[in-house]
Amino acid sequence: MKAAIVGATGYGGIELIRLLHNHQEIEHIAVFSSSQEGKTMAQSYPHVTEIIDETLETIDAATLKEYDVVFLSTPPGVSAELSAELVPETKVIDLSGDLRLKRSDIYEAWYGRKSAPNHLLQQAVYGLSEWKKESIKNTSLLSNPGCYPTAILLGLAPLIQEGAIQPEYLIIDAKSGTTGAGRSPSAMTHFSEMNDNFKVYKVNEHKHTPEIEQQLSDWANKEVTVTFTPHLVPMTRGIMATMYAPLTEGWSTEKITALYESVYADQPFVRVRENGTFPFTKEVYGTNYCDMSFSIDERTGRITVVSVIDNLVKGASGQAVQNMNLMFGFEEGTGLNTIPIYP
């Protein structure tokens, strides 16, 4: 297969290159950029010197249609236009947020820009791999979930679908490494501002909020709104999402343990921890795993769920490759079965 990556010089793009380079079904990777065309990947990322020799090409829809799969690792607005030109001639996996929300008015309210055409929004499959497999297998246009929503939704899915929690009281506290903010430097992320610091940001206004609410509402069969607070921590990679909600009656530690173990038993990239142990971000570093655990506070009647991922892999490029495998009928873990980098 031949794969194209649009936006290859961002962190999502270089991570796609790392994963696809070792994917046995991919024989050629082409890279495209709107700002660095004509340069080699090694000029942008010297660590791929003598490994990836590709030169960045100008983004052109006619050229992209020649590839079996096109990954759009682009800023908001770009993929909405490109997807319309590429589908159905080729399969498209969009890593931006352009196609995640089904309602144009919600997208425009949260993103502050015009949404993609409605027919594209309805056509795009939301690619939460563990929960959307059949839809993913049958689509040519896939919207890859955001990093925070991936960790949060995987952690909450069993509880929401079984009615085990009261979602109207759901609170989500999540922390991310600085790569979640992208490669472009800013006052928010440069070393002197971020080192030895811990930052809350976009309180009650993060763009991933409606994405989380959309999927939770679908599972709960009613409108769900959440309090979602993201933070930046002084590390490169990783997300830890901690979710709090009151339990409904009849749910014990034993019953919820059985639920999680049953739901995720056949999912190769979700690991449910033994009761009493909680995952750390370093334990999934560089991999497509999502590790999770929970604790019930008998005193308050609340459950705490902890979910961790690598934001660049399971939260972006790794899940995109997992979805590609499903779309093309490959074994789901092809190119992704790596042991976490530790320490």
Side-chain angles (χ1 to χ4, degrees), residues 154-160 162-166 245-265 272-275 292-298 301-306:
L154 288 177
L156 290 175
L159 300 176
I160 288 286
E162 292 297 319
I165 60 173
Q166 301 175 49
L247 285 166
T248 55
E249 288 189 16
W251 289 93
S252 63
T253 295
E254 292 74 20
K255 189 174 179 181
I256 290 179
T257 298
L259 172 64
Y260 273 87
E261 290 179 348
S262 172
V263 163
Y264 288 124
V272 180
R273 293 297 183 86
E274 183 179 340
N275 281 343
M292 61 185 69
S293 189
F294 73 91
S295 176
I296 294 175
D297 187 342
E298 302 289 351
R302 296 190 187 98
I303 187 170
T304 301
V305 180
V306 179

Side-chain angles (χ1 to χ4, degrees), residues 126-133 136 144-162 165 170 172 211-213 215-216 219 239 241-243 256 259-273 279 284 287-294 303 305-311 313-316 318-320 322-323 326 332:
Y126 185 65
L128 190 64
S129 304
E130 284 71 19
W131 292 97
K132 305 283 186 176
K133 287 188 182 180
I136 292 167
N144 215 56
C147 51
Y148 280 127
T150 296
I152 291 162
L153 293 172
L154 288 177
L156 290 175
L159 300 176
I160 288 286
Q161 294 190 56
E162 292 297 319
I165 60 173
L170 177 59
I172 303 165
E211 181 182 343
I212 296 164
E213 293 177 343
Q215 187 56 62
L216 292 179
W219 283 334
I239 282 177
T242 308
M243 289 79 77
I256 290 179
L259 172 64
Y260 273 87
E261 290 179 348
S262 172
V263 163
Y264 288 124
D266 297 323
Q267 303 298 337
F269 294 112
V270 176
R271 304 189 296 188
V272 180
R273 293 297 183 86
V284 297
T287 74
N288 200 50
Y289 288 112
C290 175
D291 287 9
M292 61 185 69
S293 189
F294 73 91
I303 187 170
V305 180
V306 179
S307 175
V308 300
I309 62 171
D310 183 316
N311 58 294
V313 190
K314 186 58 171 171
Q319 186 162 215
Q322 185 179 358
N323 284 326
L326 292 168
E332 192 171 346

Side-chain angles (χ1 to χ4, degrees), residues 227-247:
T227 296
F228 168 50
T229 308
H231 305 75
L232 275 181
V233 295
M235 63 184 186
T236 303
R237 293 172 180 249
I239 282 177
M240 176 177 284
T242 308
M243 289 79 77
Y244 312 86
L247 285 166

Side-chain angles (χ1 to χ4, degrees), residues 10-11 17 44 71 87 94 112 123 132 155 163 166 179 184 190 192 203 230 233 250 267 271 290 320 322 330 339 342:
Y11 289 142
I17 290 171
S44 186
F71 295 89
V87 175
D94 177 27
Q123 181 183 353
K132 305 283 186 176
Q166 301 175 49
T179 51
S184 299
H190 79 67
S192 298
V203 178
V233 295
Q267 303 298 337
R271 304 189 296 188
C290 175
Q322 185 179 358
F330 305 144
I339 295 174
Y342 197 95

